[in-house]
Amino acid sequence: MRSDDAINLSRRVALAGLALTAGPLLQPSLSRAALAPSRQQVPGLYRFRIGLFELTAINDGVWNVPIDDKFVRNVPLQQVQQAMAAAFLPTIDRLPLPFTALLVNTGPQLVLIDTGTGGQIAATAGLLETNLRAGGVAAEAIDTIVISHFHPDHINGLKTKDDALVFPNAEILVPQAEWEFFMDEANLRAAPEVLKGYLLNARRIFKNLAKRLRYYVADKEVAPGITAVFAPGHTPGHHAFVIASGDQSLMVLSDTATHPALFVRHPHWQVALDMDGAAAEKTRNKIFDRVAADRMLVTGYHFPFPACGHIATSADGYEFYPRQWASQL
Ligand SMILES: [Zn+2]
């Protein structure tokens, strides 16, 4: 008899004994006690393949952003809240904005695209390193980090709250256009308060990292098989990426659209997080037309986990279709 059979048998005997002495009413409470609710989510990981590359979507958590009449610049609040209700979002006064970074195993290199919040944005986020480890990858193993733009939810995971480096062996690739805007002293002096906070945050994160930094420009590879696509508007140097291997490809949208229930469905809506709303809208339409026409797989940093799927045109905008879970790659 195998040992687990023996356990099952002795459990059955014990249960039978209990039933005899205490009666059948005891059994339901025993089965409730057998597995207490964990009240914790399982690791936020989703793995898929593009040609020879193995990709892992890594969830960092969520930020429940308070919504007011300034959240979408060019649409009344009531209309935004109607769209949130229509998409079955849990509340209409807070938008759950998830963060999902992307790990690309190209074979020779482990590349991480964006780094999560580093636990510095919301108490409900900062899980990237834990989830990465749950996927069998230590922070030390990352060779290359590619940053899409300099908003804190994309760069703060490079360092802890106490400025310790999280990925000690990685080279860090940053968009040259973004660097030039964010590090410019005249821009800092002229910046309104929120933007000033972003500019100062970027200075803190990249301080003492000069030796690890490399600057990239659009239409060139940031790593073999990963090409930067200029996608301005969200920030001046914001980039998307095309990942291609074999006959398959993927568009990493970064923040071309934030939450798809609002900004894929309604691409002309301009979120307050977009620095140049009109430019962001133009970029959105251009990239969405391309991925819809080519039926190209996309990932979106703020899309619901696993943040991966397809975009198709609809009557007055686009629709996002989440990718189906696959237990085999
Ligand atoms: Zn973002």
Side-chain angles (χ1 to χ4, degrees):
M1 189 185 286
R2 294 205 332 257
S3 63
D4 47 353
D5 289 335
I7 290 165
N8 284 340
L9 181 63
S10 62
R11 188 175 146 86
R12 275 205 303 276
V13 170
L15 286 174
L18 279 172
L20 278 176
T21 52
L25 283 178
L26 198 57
Q27 288 195 23
S29 68
L30 270 179
S31 63
R32 272 207 301 278
L35 183 62
S38 76
R39 306 197 193 286
Q40 278 182 345
Q41 188 50 276
V42 292
L45 297 165
Y46 173 73
R47 201 157 269 169
F48 59 109
R49 210 154 52 85
I50 295 292
L52 296 173
F53 294 175
E54 187 175 275
L55 283 72
T56 310
I58 306 163
N59 185 251
D60 182 64
V62 67
W63 175 31
N64 295 302
V65 190
I67 300 298
D68 61 17
D69 56 357
K70 292 183 198 68
F71 184 69
V72 180
R73 286 192 196 109
N74 54 345
V75 175
L77 177 62
Q78 199 192 4
Q79 212 178 319
V80 175
Q81 293 184 318
Q82 274 167 3
M84 290 169 72
F88 298 95
L89 294 178
T91 68
I92 56 163
D93 56 355
R94 283 176 178 267
L95 178 69
L97 208 58
F99 309 103
T100 299
L102 190 63
L103 179 71
V104 187
N105 184 349
T106 68
Q109 263 186 73
L110 272 181
V111 181
L112 180 66
I113 303 181
D114 288 334
T115 64
T117 62
Q120 296 154 51
I121 309 260
T124 43
L127 300 167
L128 183 126
E129 212 193 328
T130 307
N131 280 329
L132 189 65
R133 221 177 304 120
V137 180
E140 291 78 9
I142 304 294
D143 301 298
T144 308
I145 291 172
V146 181
I147 297 292
S148 65
H149 66 292
F150 286 180
H151 276 162
D153 52 320
H154 298 254
I155 61 174
N156 280 20
L158 285 168
K159 282 185 173 171
T160 65
K161 283 187 198 85
D162 311 316
D163 289 341
L165 206 53
V166 173
F167 305 97
N169 301 314
E171 183 179 41
I172 303 162
L173 274 78
V174 297
Q176 191 172 326
E178 191 81 338
W179 183 272
E180 284 166 4
F181 178 86
F182 270 68
M183 297 302 162
D184 184 273
E185 289 305 314
N187 287 344
L188 180 64
R189 280 194 298 275
E193 203 177 344
V194 175
L195 178 61
K196 187 168 276 182
Y198 291 160
L199 301 184
L200 291 171
N201 180 68
R203 283 164 169 73
R204 172 180 78 83
I205 292 292
F206 293 115
K207 195 177 173 194
N208 299 327
L209 293 184
K211 280 194 198 131
R212 296 171 179 274
L213 290 181
R214 193 148 60 83
Y215 306 94
Y216 70 80
V217 293
D219 304 321
K220 297 250 166 63
E221 282 191 333
V222 287
I226 308 178
T227 304
V229 177
F230 190 42
H234 184 65
T235 62
H238 176 262
H239 280 71
F241 305 93
V242 171
I243 301 181
S245 172
D247 60 357
Q248 293 183 305
S249 60
L250 162 78
M251 178 73 78
V252 179
L253 294 170
S254 310
D255 283 8
T256 299
T258 52
H259 202 295
L262 302 184
F263 306 104
V264 173
R265 245 174 222 172
H266 308 284
H268 60 286
W269 288 10
Q270 297 178 4
V271 70
L273 300 162
D274 286 345
M275 282 178 61
D276 181 339
E281 182 184 335
K282 202 170 148 205
T283 292
R284 225 168 1 255
N285 284 311
K286 189 175 161 193
I287 291 184
F288 287 178
D289 281 344
R290 175 176 169 187
V291 296
D294 294 349
R295 297 179 66 81
M296 199 171 172
L297 193 65
V298 303
T299 58
Y301 193 76
H302 297 292
F303 285 20
F305 196 74
C308 180
H310 288 88
I311 286 175
T313 51
S314 68
D316 54 358
Y318 303 87
E319 191 66 45
F320 175 64
Y321 294 89
R323 197 173 206 227
Q324 202 165 296
W325 176 266
S327 50
Q328 263 98 37
L329 295 194

